[in-house]
Amino acid sequence: MKKIIATILTSFLIFGCTNKKAENYFESMNTFMKVQCYGENAEEANKVAQKYIGELEATISATKPESNLYKANHANGNQVEITQQAADLINFTLDICKKTDGALNCCLYPVTSLWGFTKKQYKVPSDEEIARLMPLTDFNNVKLNGTKIQLLPGMMLDLGAVGKGFAGDEAAKLMKEYGIKSALLDLGGNIQTIGKKPDGSDWTIGIKSPFGKSPIGILKINNQAVITSAGYERFFQDENGKKYIHIFDGRTGRPVENEVLSATAICESGTYGDALSTSLFVMGVEKSIDFWKKYNDFDFIIITKDNKLYITKKAAKKFTLNYDDYKDLEVILVK
């Protein structure tokens, strides 16, 4: 009996030491964030992650004068030296822009500024104004050679479509260096997980409903990112009540108007998931399915205006629909 008690006590002490919980709430990248992790160095890991995310914003922000991106955007066509980290992220984003045929466009900043989304001073520009600026949004004109970048005069990069996902990836790497094997990062709705929960079960992630009710369902994940793009939270209306959302079609310079209400990407990389969620929203259902079949390195959930939910086969195995509130929703398995 003494041996059994001693074994239980030892196990309890080991569990207690290695599964300390730390939870931080903070604001960065213009949104609220929450980081929770478990491990012997949980408190220190959380502080390091929070500090890192704040420093990263100062590196890749399009509006902070000290950032790499700001300097490139305001170099008037001259070549600028940037950090390897910024160069890697820009190179990755340009690759996604090309793969999506411009559905994602990291050079759209001059046009989004024209619409007033950058400073919340909204207006509907004329067709002529948009046409005048669109030549400045061709991402093929970005010259990136190692850590040297050069933009045409008037061009501006914006990494907002990948920034939070990248922050999640990099913060997770740092936390792992502190021995963290179980963590959940909620970066303004961008979910990034390390391992499973301390009890060995998957993390349970609620998928927000674009219909303004309870969550559409729950998704079980581990070691993955879950990132959603939707237009129902950030938008403005003109004098006639027409709604313009903050997600732009990189090929037209206009807010997206299609059948999609929300697009959720599920994959290992938060950076990739962030880029994908925007791209899927812009591409619409059919082109998103084609893109998924071509690359097959992610999963998705897309909800449309005609009350349909499209979900890839792997994600479907981990997804539970909130049937009580959404029994009329048609679920379509993509395979």
Side-chain angles (χ1 to χ4, degrees):
M1 177 62 76
K2 288 182 180 179
K3 184 180 287 187
I4 293 173
I5 292 173
T7 302
I8 293 172
L9 181 59
T10 301
S11 298
F12 174 78
L13 289 173
I14 291 172
F15 181 86
C17 290
T18 59
N19 287 276
K20 295 175 184 176
K21 178 182 178 180
E23 192 169 83
N24 287 16
Y25 295 83
F26 57 97
E27 188 174 354
S28 189
M29 296 184 169
N30 298 314
T31 190
F32 292 102
M33 300 187 173
K34 173 187 174 183
V35 177
Q36 67 179 75
C37 69
Y38 300 83
E40 187 173 352
N41 302 312
E43 286 286 354
E44 190 175 2
N46 259 20
K47 289 178 182 177
V48 169
Q50 180 177 337
K51 182 174 182 291
Y52 175 82
I53 292 170
E55 292 172 348
L56 179 63
E57 181 182 13
T59 302
I60 63 173
S61 168
T63 58
K64 293 185 180 294
E66 70 273 18
S67 82
N68 282 222
L69 216 59
Y70 188 93
K71 291 173 183 176
N73 286 347
H74 295 82
N76 196 31
N78 294 312
Q79 191 177 75
V80 174
E81 181 78 27
I82 58 177
T83 65
Q84 186 64 57
Q85 183 183 59
D88 289 344
L89 182 57
I90 292 169
N91 189 55
F92 170 85
T93 309
L94 289 171
D95 183 57
I96 298 297
C97 291
K98 292 170 184 175
K99 285 179 177 177
T100 61
D101 295 322
L104 181 73
N105 187 345
C106 60
C107 293
L108 209 60
Y109 194 80
V111 174
T112 56
S113 298
L114 185 66
W115 285 81
F117 277 96
T118 55
K119 296 183 179 179
K120 296 183 180 180
Q121 297 173 352
Y122 306 113
K123 75 164 190 174
V124 180
S126 67
D127 292 345
E128 291 75 19
E129 288 177 298
I130 296 172
R132 178 174 55 84
L133 290 178
M134 283 304 290
L136 295 175
T137 69
D138 187 351
F139 50 82
N140 292 300
N141 288 324
V142 176
K143 294 180 180 179
L144 184 63
N145 183 15
T147 56
K148 292 180 172 62
I149 189 169
Q150 187 174 18
L151 308 178
L152 295 177
M155 284 189 73
M156 288 192 174
L157 277 166
D158 180 9
L159 300 178
V162 294
K164 288 190 294 181
F166 183 69
D169 281 339
E170 295 301 298
K173 288 178 187 176
L174 271 177
M175 295 170 81
K176 288 176 183 177
E177 291 177 7
Y178 282 80
I180 301 302
K181 297 180 180 179
S182 176
L184 185 145
L185 297 83
D186 182 349
L187 309 185
N190 282 28
I191 303 298
Q192 182 92 28
T193 62
I194 298 175
K196 297 186 177 185
K197 293 165 68 175
D199 63 5
S201 63
D202 285 339
W203 298 96
T204 300
I205 309 301
I207 304 299
K208 193 169 182 179
S209 168
F211 304 111
K213 301 176 183 178
S214 55
I216 207 93
I218 59 171
L219 190 68
K220 298 281 190 178
I221 65 164
N222 65 80
N223 278 318
Q224 286 183 305
V226 178
I227 299 174
T228 299
S229 287
Y232 50 79
E233 289 184 335
R234 288 182 58 196
F235 62 89
F236 76 93
Q237 292 177 293
D238 64 17
E239 62 274 10
N240 298 315
K242 181 176 174 59
K243 184 185 292 186
Y244 299 90
I245 65 174
H246 76 289
I247 303 174
F248 278 71
D249 187 327
R251 301 158 298 191
T252 66
R254 289 173 169 78
V256 176
E257 293 185 64
N258 62 15
E259 77 279 21
V260 178
L261 286 176
S262 71
T264 299
I266 306 140
C267 56
E268 292 183 7
S269 164
T271 314
Y272 189 34
D274 214 357
L276 280 174
S277 66
T278 302
S279 302
L280 297 173
F281 192 104
V282 175
M283 289 190 288
V285 174
E286 293 305 319
K287 288 185 178 179
S288 291
I289 293 173
D290 291 341
F291 189 86
W292 172 75
K293 287 181 177 179
K294 181 177 181 178
Y295 292 101
N296 199 27
D297 55 1
F298 67 96
D299 286 286
F300 69 73
I301 299 171
I302 296 177
I303 302 170
T304 57
K305 295 173 182 176
D306 57 355
N307 219 36
K308 294 177 181 176
L309 183 150
Y310 295 82
I311 185 168
T312 50
K313 54 186 178 181
K314 287 183 182 178
K317 294 177 181 178
K318 295 282 190 175
F319 178 75
T320 303
L321 179 70
N322 179 2
Y323 186 78
D324 289 342
D325 291 337
Y326 300 101
K327 57 180 176 290
D328 295 328
L329 191 68
E330 182 182 355
V331 178
I332 299 172
L333 184 64
V334 179
K335 56 185 179 179

